[in-house]
Amino acid sequence: MSESLHIVCPHCHVTNRVASERLSAPPGTVQMDCGRCHRPLFAGEPAVLDEGSFVRHVERSHIPVVVDFWAPWCGPCRTMAPAFAQAARTLEPSVRLAKLDTEAHPAIGARHAIRSIPTMVMFRQGREVARISGALGAADIARWVRTAGGA
Ligand code: ZN
Ligand code: ZN
């Protein structure tokens, strides 16, 4: 029985409907492109969000969304960036990884009470289900996401 899931495009942020079995296929075996911008729905890299696209991804995605709250002046954030990108390649397409620059978009950080960075927050169906602060390596990011029920 096929179920259709809402997947938000990481490029143009429009909501696509994708059959659930396509998401459970081995990574890299199924090409899924956005119906509007025709770019890959899963590009093996974190989506870069602003206020508007943050709300779209968090509220509309049927898969968990893990947001890395970071800032350009934060050394540990910059150190973690390649590990977070590597975790995206490991965890997609069962999870969406995304980044929110708290310096460029402070309202989102304030709304979610981000007190230190980097902080990763997992959202499901618009609600926060887990968070962790401090820089992690790729394997620890993937482990935390799976333990939190994200993959
Ligand atoms: Zn698109
Ligand atoms: Zn902004």
Side-chain angles (χ1 to χ4, degrees):
M1 166 139 165
S2 182
E3 187 192 3
S4 156
L5 298 180
H6 291 178
I7 301 297
V8 181
C9 175
H11 312 289
C12 74
H13 311 295
V14 79
T15 302
N16 286 251
R17 290 170 184 276
V18 175
S20 58
E21 61 264 24
R22 304 194 79 198
L23 294 180
S24 48
T29 60
V30 177
Q31 181 82 1
M32 288 179 275
D33 291 334
C34 174
R36 185 165 92 176
C37 75
H38 308 296
R39 296 168 74 186
L41 288 176
F42 295 97
E45 59 189 24
V48 176
L49 305 182
D50 61 14
E51 280 89 349
S53 54
F54 176 91
V55 171
R56 281 174 174 235
H57 279 265
V58 165
E59 294 188 352
R60 297 180 185 178
S61 295
H62 282 171
I63 55 172
V65 180
V66 174
V67 180
D68 170 22
F69 290 88
W70 74 288
W73 49 262
C74 161
C77 296
R78 294 197 306 271
T79 301
M80 190 175 93
F84 195 69
Q86 190 181 329
R89 292 190 286 278
T90 304
L91 295 165
E92 288 183 353
S94 52
V95 183
R96 168 71 68 209
L97 268 64
K99 296 174 72 76
L100 191 282
D101 178 344
T102 57
E103 186 177 48
H105 310 293
I108 296 285
R111 192 182 309 158
H112 293 280
I114 303 301
R115 294 190 180 83
S116 68
I117 51 173
T119 289
M120 288 186 294
V121 180
M122 183 188 296
F123 299 91
R124 266 184 186 277
Q125 313 282 323
R127 308 176 74 117
E128 176 176 339
V129 294
R131 79 165 56 192
I132 188 169
S133 294
L136 298 179
D140 285 332
I141 294 169
R143 193 173 301 122
W144 175 76
V145 168
R146 291 188 174 114
T147 301

